[in-house]
Amino acid sequence: MSKEVNRRDFLKLSSGTAALVGLSSIPGTLGAISSEQKRFNGSAKFVPSVCEMCTSSCTIEARVENGKGVFIRGNPNDKSRGGRVCARGGSGFNQLYDPMRLINPIMRVGERGEGKWKEVSWDEAYTFIAKKLEEIKEKYGAHTVAWTARSGWTKVWFHHLAQAYGSPNIFGHEATCPLAYGMSGKDIYGSSIGRDFAKAKYIINMGHNVFEGVVISYARQYMSALQNGAKVVTLDPRLSMMAAKSSEWHKIKPGHDLPFVLAFMNVLITDELYDKEFVAKNCEGFEELKNSVKEYTPEAMAKECDIDAGTIRRLAHEFAAAAPKAIFDYGHRVTLSAQEMELRRAMMMINALVGAVEKEGGYYLPKNSKFYNALLGEDDPKAPSLKKPKTPAYPKVEVPRIDRIGEEDCEYFLASKGQGITTLVPKAALNELPGVPYKIHGWFIVRNNPVMNYANLETVLEAIKAMDLVVAVDYQVSDTAWYADIVLPDTTYLERDQEITAGGGKNPSFSIGRQKVVEPIGNSKPTWLIAKELAEKMGLGEYFPWADVEDYRLQQVGDDIDLLAELKLKGLKSFGVPLMLQDKKSVAKFVKKFPGAAAKVNEEGLIDFPKKIQLFSHKLEKVSGTGGLSYNPYKYKEVDELFFINGKSAVRTNGAGANNVWLNNLLSEAAAWIHPNTAKKFGIKDGDEIEVYNKYATQRGHAMLTEGIREDTVFAYFGFGHVSKKLRFSGKGIHSNSLYPSFTGKNSGMDLHVVGVKIRKV
Amino acid sequence: MAKKYGMIHDENLCIGCQACSIACRSENDIPESVYRLQVRVLGPKKLPDGNMIFEFHRQSCVHCENTPCVTVCPTGASFVDENGISLVNTDICVGCLYCNAACPYDARFVNPITHAPDKCTFCKESRLGRGEEPACVSVCPTEAIVFGDINDPTSKISKVLSQRPTYHQRADLGTEPKMFIVPNKKGGIQS
C-alpha cells in the first residue's frame, strides 16, 4: 500500500510549507510527496517539549537535523526519564508528512460513515459548526451537546468553550482508562498516589505492564528495582513483558483480581501483619474494613481468582515483611473488571495497612505548590503558583450533567467534572438516563476516538448515527472522524505550543507544556487556535482574552518571567527538595532547606498526614451502600466460552497508531494469543486465520499459539482492527472494544474489558 | 592508542520495546522497507525449571574483528575504520553483494535509494562526530545498551565487560564480534 502511495505523482510545492496543497485523491489529506519536497522549517537545536504519541505525556526534546528530518529523544533535564524515549515517542516525526494526514477541514457529503467528503475552508467549517450548535441550543438546549477532549491541554481549551457555550457535559477519556484508581486515591488519601518503585524491595503487580505500556519513568524505576534485587510478583492472565521480567508470574483468572486482593488483605489483618501503630495513628475506618473483609479468606477466594490459598498467604507474609519498602501497585488497565472501584480501592488500602505511605520505596502523595507551601513557614521562599487568565462567568445551567456529577446523590461523585463519565455519552444519546431529563444530541470530540476506544462498538455507532451533530478534531481521519459531520485538522504535537502545567511528585514541579519544533504543515491548526477562532465565530470571543499561547503563558506566570524563561529553555523545573512526610531523613532535609517548616514536625521527627487515610468511605456508603469492600461474583462468560482480554503493545496506541508506517512495520496486525491446548481443541494451528466472536461482534485475526497465556483465555493487543478507511492500516487485526459489552461500572463509570468469546478457524 | 568501539546488549535489561530501532531509523534516514537494527522478541521459551522467558535478539551488524564482509569485497568498499567500525564506501562499491552473502549475521541489506549495501555504522556518520552516542544507546528506556571504547579501561563499556558475563552471537565462527551480549536470566514461576 505504502509503495503505491509513493508512486503517485509528486505534488508541486509553492514557497514554504505553510502553503502546501495536497494533490491527494482524498479530500483534505496531504497526499504523497517526495523526500526532496519535505521541508522541515524549525529549530536545529533541541527544543524541550512533551510527547503526545500516547497519553503518558513523557518529556522529550526534538530538533531538525540537516533540514531533512526531526530527531526526538527524552529531555535529559528530566531525571526520572533519563533523557529516554520509547518507540512510539521516537516515531512522532513520522506523522508530520504522512500522506494520509489531514491538512484541510473536510465536511461529510454522504451518509455518516459512508466516506464521502468535500474539502472546505476553515471559515466554512467554523460557520457550519457555529450554526449547528446554535440550532441545537435553540431546539434542545446547549446542555445536550457533549464535549469530549483528550486529557491534558486540549481539555483546557475545549472544556472552556463548551461551558461558555452553555454545556456542563464535558469529559475526558478517563472512564475508558485510569479513572477508578484516580477516584480511589481521592477517596482514601485525598489525592492521586505516586509510587516510589525504584526504592521498593517488594512489588505486587496486578497486570501493570509498564514494559509494554511503556511509561518511561515507570519502566526505568521498575527496572532499577529489579536490578537492585527487589522481588516483583506479577499476576496477569498472560505472560506480559512485565510478567516475563518478574520474579514470579501467576496466571490469575481474568476479571478476578478483586478476590485475590481481598484475600491478601484478609491475611494481613487476620495474621496481624499490618502496621498497627501506623493504622491507629493515621487511618480511619479500620474496624469497618476488618469486618467487611472477614469472610474473604484465601481458602474462600482461591477458587474465584485461581491462585491457591497457600500462595496468597505466602505473598501476603512476604509483602508485610518487606514493608515499608513495599508497593501494592494499584495497576493500570489489563482486565478492567466489573468492580473497578472496589478493586482499586482495595489495592490502594493495602499500602496503608502495612504503613508504606510517605516512606521511601512505598506510596507517596503528589506534592504540588499548594500542598508544599502549606508546610512552609512565613519566611521560607514559596513554590510558584500559576494564575488562570480572567474570563467571563459561564452561563448558568439548570439541568444536571448526564453523569449527574455535582448532584448530591451522584454515584460517580469521586470523578472531577473535567473527567466525567464519557462512556455515558453514547448511552445518553440513545435513551434518557435515570435522573437526567434529556438526551444528548451533539458530540464535539477533540482527539478522542470513541469508535476505537469505548467498549461496545455497536452502541457507539448507533449513538453517533442518532445525533444531530458530530464534530471531530484530529490530525488524521480517525475512526471517530470517519463517522463525523465535519473534521477539523489539528496539528501534530511537534508543530504547536501549549500552556504551562504545574504538578508535583515528591516536590512541586512545572512543565513548559509543548513547544513548537517545526512550523505547521498545510492548513492544520493547533487546538488552542481552533477553540479561539470557533469561539469568535460563535460570538464567544470574550472568553478567549489571549493572543496566542505565549500570551496565555505570560498571564499564567504573572510577574515571574524568570520561571517562563527557564521553562522554555529546560522544559521543566522543580521547586525545593523531595519530601516524604513519614521519613525522618527526608523531613530533616526538608527542614534544613526550609527552617520555617520545623513548626509542622512532630515529636517523632515526622510530618503528619494532612488528612486521615480513609479505610471506609462514608460518602460511598451514603450514596450507594458501598463504603466497605465486598466481592460480588460477576458472570463474564458462558461455560463454553473463553475469556477475552486486551492490553498495550510497545509499538501501538489504542486510538491513533494506524497511520504510522514506522510503527506498523514493526507490528502491523496483533495476533490472538491462544494456548496450544486450547487451539488443539478447535483445530487451530499457529498462524491460522481465525474468528474471535460473541453476541456483540465477530472479529478476524491470526492465531498465535503460546504457552504464555491461560488455557481459558484469548488475548490481543488493542489498537488494531481500525474501521476508518482513511487510515492506512485500517481493518487489520482484532477490534477489541467491539467484543465488549455496553457496561457502566458502579461508582466508577468504567468500561468493562473482560468478556466471553468463542474462536473458530476461518 | 586507537579507539576500539564496541557495544553491549543486555538481555536482562532489554524489554523489546523497539525504541532503538525507531531511533536508528529516524537518525540515519533509513528507508521504510529496510532496517539497520531491530530487536527480535522470541518466545516465550519454557526453561527446564518451568520458568518462562522472552529472548531478545539484537539484529544488526556486530562489528566483527575478523570480517568476512571485508575479506570478500573485491574493491575495498567494505572496510574497517581506524576505530574498529565496519563500514561501506559506497563510492567504490560495485554492488556485487558478496558482502551481504558473506555476512553470517544477516546484518546487511541493499539500500533502495543508494542501491549499495547498508548496515549499522554505530552512527559514525550521524552522531559520533558530534560527540554523541549512537541513537539506539541514547534513547533506550532501560539503558540496556552500552557503547564505548573497549581499549579505554576507564570507559563504561570496559567496566561493564569486567563485571558481567557476556557472550557473542555465533562465537563458533571466530569472527570475534565487538557486540557483546549479557544473557537473560530473568524468568517467572507459574503458580
Side-chain angles (χ1 to χ4, degrees), chain A residues 388-592:
Chain A
K388 239 184 157 176
K390 267 212 152 59
T391 53
Y394 299 131
K396 257 203 148 28
V397 183
E398 302 297 338
V399 290
R401 292 164 53 110
I402 55 166
D403 51 21
R404 297 184 54 81
I405 291 171
E407 307 300 311
E408 195 49 40
D409 60 345
C410 170
E411 66 166 306
Y412 313 117
F413 67 93
L414 286 165
S416 71
K417 288 182 176 173
Q419 296 173 322
I421 311 300
T422 192
T423 45
L424 287 178
V425 175
K427 293 156 196 159
L430 297 170
N431 296 294
E432 278 184 13
L433 300 178
V436 182
Y438 60 92
K439 279 201 228 176
I440 288 293
H441 295 287
W443 204 356
F444 200 113
I445 306 161
V446 189
R447 298 297 302 275
N448 186 253
N449 194 355
V451 174
M452 272 308 281
N453 300 355
Y454 291 23
N456 202 271
L457 176 62
E458 201 184 343
T459 307
V460 175
L461 291 184
E462 216 183 303
I464 281 179
K465 285 179 179 167
M467 290 195 199
D468 287 22
L469 174 69
V470 181
V471 181
V473 181
D474 213 306
Y475 65 93
Q476 59 193 0
V477 187
S478 70
D479 310 275
T480 300
W482 180 253
Y483 287 95
D485 302 326
I486 189 147
V487 191
L488 306 177
D490 184 13
T491 60
T492 73
Y493 63 103
L494 295 171
E495 301 155 283
R496 70 173 114 86
D497 290 313
Q498 286 175 183
E499 82 282 14
I500 302 171
T501 56
K506 293 169 194 164
N507 45 332
S509 62
F510 304 86
S511 162
I512 190 61
R514 296 201 171 90
Q515 298 197 89
K516 191 155 62 173
V517 181
V518 293
E519 289 301 319
I521 286 166
N523 293 319
S524 60
K525 290 187 181 189
T527 39
W528 69 264
L529 185 59
I530 297 174
K532 182 177 159 68
E533 288 182 346
L534 180 56
E536 281 159 5
K537 182 63 80 180
M538 290 162 71
L540 301 169
E542 59 179 336
Y543 284 90
F544 289 75
W546 44 84
D548 51 24
V549 170
E550 189 65 0
D551 186 19
Y552 190 92
R553 286 174 181 156
L554 283 166
Q555 296 188 43
Q556 283 185 296
V557 296
D559 300 331
D560 198 352
I561 302 294
D562 290 348
L563 174 64
L564 179 58
E566 191 178 343
L567 286 176
K568 286 177 87 163
L569 193 68
K570 294 187 177 160
L572 64 153
K573 179 187 168 67
S574 62
F575 176 84
V577 289
L579 171 63
M580 296 287 226
L581 301 176
Q582 298 286 302
D583 181 311
K584 238 184 220 170
K585 267 193 209 159
S586 172
V587 170
K589 272 188 198 167
F590 177 63
V591 174
K592 199 175 167 202

Side-chain angles (χ1 to χ4, degrees), chain A residues 2-3 6 46 63 65-66 68 70-74 81-91 93-94 210-212 214 216 219-220 223 226-227 230 239-241 243-251 306-308 311 650-651 661-663 665-666 673 704 706-709 728, chain B residues 10-34 37-39 41 43-46 50-54 56 113 126-127 130 132-145 156 164 184-191:
Chain A
S2 63
K3 273 182 188 154
N6 286 335
F46 275 117
R63 70 180 173 201
E65 292 192 342
N66 306 322
K68 61 176 185 179
V70 178
F71 185 72
I72 300 167
R73 67 175 188 190
R81 297 183 178 91
R84 308 295 165 144
V85 73
C86 75
R88 292 186 297 251
S91 69
F93 142 61
N94 193 219
V210 301
F211 293 146
E212 285 176 285
V214 193
I216 296 285
R220 290 172 63 78
M223 195 53 90
L226 284 165
Q227 288 282 93
L239 184 77
S240 64
M241 196 57 76
K245 294 285 178 188
S246 295
S247 324
E248 293 184 24
W249 169 46
H250 300 279
K251 290 185 267 188
D306 212 6
I307 308 288
D308 71 78
T311 302
V651 294
V661 181
W662 291 359
L663 294 178
N665 282 349
L666 289 166
W673 293 38
M704 187 186 92
T706 171
E707 289 189 55
I709 185 129
R728 227 188 300 195
Chain B
D10 189 332
E11 289 192 350
N12 282 303
L13 297 178
C14 182
I15 54 173
C17 73
Q18 312 298 333
C20 53
S21 176
I22 292 291
C24 169
R25 185 176 293 290
S26 179
E27 183 65 277
N28 298 306
D29 209 8
I30 309 295
E32 274 168 28
S33 56
V34 289
L37 159 65
Q38 270 188 359
V39 171
V41 182
K45 184 172 138 186
K46 204 167 190 175
N51 286 358
M52 284 217 224
I53 59 165
F54 288 110
F56 306 95
I113 292 166
S126 54
R127 297 178 64 94
R130 293 195 296 242
E132 297 171 341
E133 292 193 304
C136 57
V137 182
S138 75
V139 299
C140 178
T142 52
E143 298 181 37
I145 319 167
K156 188 178 175 193
R164 307 293 300 269
N184 192 353
K185 288 181 299 193
K186 291 279 176 205
I189 300 163
Q190 294 180 80
S191 61

Side-chain angles (χ1 to χ4, degrees), chain B residues 170-187:
Chain B
R170 298 297 312 271
D172 56 305
L173 299 172
T175 50
E176 294 187 36
K178 291 189 284 294
M179 178 70 67
F180 302 86
I181 300 153
V182 179
N184 192 353
K185 288 181 299 193
K186 291 279 176 205

